[in-house]
Amino acid sequence: MEWNKYTIHTTEEAEDMVSGMLAELGFEGIEIEDKRPMTAEESGGMFGDVVPDFGPDDHLADISFYADKDEDSSEIIRKVEEALEELRSFMEIGEGTISLSETAEEEWINNWKEYFHSFRIDDILIEPTWEKGSAQEKDAAMVLHIDPGTAFGTGAHESTQLAIRSLRKYLKEGDRFLDVGTGSGILGIVALKSGASHVFGTDLDENTLPAISDNLLENDIREEDFERVLGNIADDPATQEKAGFGIYDVACANIIAEILTEITPQIPAHLKKGGYYITSGILQEKEHLVIDAAEKAGMQVVEIMHQGEWSGITFRN
């Protein structure tokens, strides 16, 4: 599908106001590009793990939005320019100009790929699908071929690495694995390659479904071994019912602490007694939030691991 891409050249300070203005005009799915250093929470957790370095911050920002190529671009630009002038009357918005370009959907799905290359987590080699078959494969105990597509999760982020290390430590041959917030399916695929008999994954993003299917194919894993649904296991009875109760040996959620506190009370209902609950995506200063939620749900801390600013905490049901 062909789109027109409209880019507003403004400042970091004006990002929120310009974004809000576009939302009021009915434009959704905006894209913000700036050089502001990302906080740990912004760069990790549930927000993906391919974080390029764009150099020194110049405090400028480009805010882009998309419209169907058949829509009247001159009318769109006129409406946005009028709204920008209103903003300019009470705040600094920098240039406040608009540039127009054409793009195909495939382009903005694939642009990030230049930042993702093969890397190792201990004896695991994780290769993007476009680098498949490299010479590095012969020295690895396990090889994963991953293309996140428009879902999140390559394994490059520290929180994902913590989750993988804990998974390989606590999951045994034949175990059933519950993957909450499955994303690209990387943790479920590691579980299956490590001997899990079945994986059940949940997520809220419909883009995860084709991403997982592609990654299963790339890793020679059968679709039926990795069941997945769209839904929130924290409060959706249909998702909870589909997952099943008291049947999992290991559950994992690699999501920021605030969301983990919402999910965690539900996890014991799906685990076997004595089953493990692996959590990651937790900034170290927020460990207590997840520990409190797990202990209130009747689980006990087994191990706390750290990598960079991040914590991975494993509990036992």
Side-chain angles (χ1 to χ4, degrees):
M1 186 172 182
E2 296 294 323
W3 302 82
N4 279 336
K5 178 180 181 180
Y6 302 83
T7 302
I8 300 170
H9 307 289
T10 183
T11 65
E12 289 176 353
E13 186 179 7
E15 283 177 3
D16 289 342
M17 293 298 291
V18 173
S19 300
M21 174 268 289
L22 290 172
E24 288 178 4
L25 291 175
F27 299 108
E28 300 177 354
I30 65 168
E31 177 183 293
I32 299 175
E33 298 176 75
D34 60 35
K35 295 181 180 179
R36 177 177 59 87
M38 300 181 80
T39 65
E41 284 182 298
E42 290 170 327
S43 65
M46 66 182 297
F47 300 110
D49 51 18
V50 180
V51 186
D53 179 7
F54 291 114
D57 187 4
D58 57 10
H59 304 290
L60 299 178
D62 286 341
I63 301 180
S64 300
F65 61 97
Y66 296 83
D68 192 294
K69 192 176 178 182
D70 293 334
E71 293 188 41
D72 185 346
S73 58
S74 60
E75 178 61 16
I76 290 172
I77 291 173
R78 182 192 66 77
K79 287 196 302 183
V80 174
E81 284 179 339
E82 286 181 357
L84 286 171
E85 285 308 305
E86 287 186 27
L87 289 182
R88 197 190 296 276
S89 67
F90 62 86
M91 71 176 298
E92 174 58 47
I93 64 169
E95 283 185 29
T97 56
I98 306 170
S99 60
L100 173 64
S101 60
E102 295 180 4
T103 185
E105 189 169 3
E106 295 80 9
E107 291 178 27
W108 42 282
I109 288 175
N110 292 321
N111 283 344
W112 60 272
K113 288 184 177 180
E114 63 181 289
Y115 304 109
F116 177 32
H117 301 286
S118 299
F119 65 96
R120 286 181 179 269
I121 302 174
D122 302 328
D123 58 352
I124 300 176
L125 175 66
I126 298 180
E127 285 185 323
T129 55
W130 52 95
E131 293 185 5
K132 192 173 180 179
S134 73
Q136 299 179 66
E137 291 187 8
K138 63 181 180 181
D139 299 321
M142 181 188 298
V143 179
L144 270 69
H145 300 119
I146 296 293
D147 182 351
T150 53
F152 291 118
T154 64
H157 194 268
E158 293 165 324
S159 66
T160 310
Q161 295 181 28
L162 284 167
I164 288 173
R165 290 189 173 104
S166 295
L167 189 162
R168 296 189 78 205
K169 183 173 183 178
Y170 293 102
L171 184 131
K172 305 183 303 298
E173 186 85 22
D175 279 356
R176 293 176 66 91
F177 179 67
L178 174 62
D179 188 8
V180 181
T182 187
S184 65
I186 184 171
L187 295 178
I189 290 170
V190 171
L192 289 167
K193 281 180 169 279
S194 299
S197 61
H198 189 76
V199 170
F200 186 93
T202 71
D203 208 290
L204 302 179
D205 184 355
E206 64 183 11
N207 291 312
T208 62
L209 300 181
I212 293 171
S213 290
D214 290 345
N215 288 327
L216 293 178
L217 181 63
E218 291 289 346
N219 289 279
D220 299 318
I221 293 172
R222 301 181 306 172
E223 287 271 345
E224 56 264 35
D225 291 337
F226 196 135
E227 188 179 357
R228 58 270 191 198
V229 299
L230 293 177
N232 189 346
I233 203 167
D235 58 14
D236 177 22
T239 301
Q240 295 165 1
E241 190 70 30
K242 287 177 183 176
F245 299 98
I247 62 173
Y248 295 98
D249 302 279
V250 181
C252 185
N254 177 26
I255 310 174
I256 61 174
E258 289 81 358
I259 296 177
L260 284 171
T261 61
E262 299 174 8
I263 293 168
T264 295
Q266 181 60 32
I267 296 299
H270 301 282
L271 280 174
K272 296 177 181 177
K273 187 62 181 174
Y276 293 99
Y277 175 41
I278 297 167
T279 63
S280 193
I282 308 161
L283 286 169
Q284 289 187 30
E285 61 265 27
K286 297 186 177 181
E287 285 180 4
H288 66 283
L289 297 176
V290 181
I291 292 172
D292 288 349
E295 290 181 341
K296 286 178 182 176
M299 293 182 282
Q300 294 80 43
V301 175
V302 174
E303 183 177 23
I304 300 175
M305 300 169 62
H306 295 129
Q307 188 171 342
E309 299 177 87
W310 301 92
S311 297
I313 309 174
T314 298
F315 302 92
R316 194 162 192 178
N317 191 27

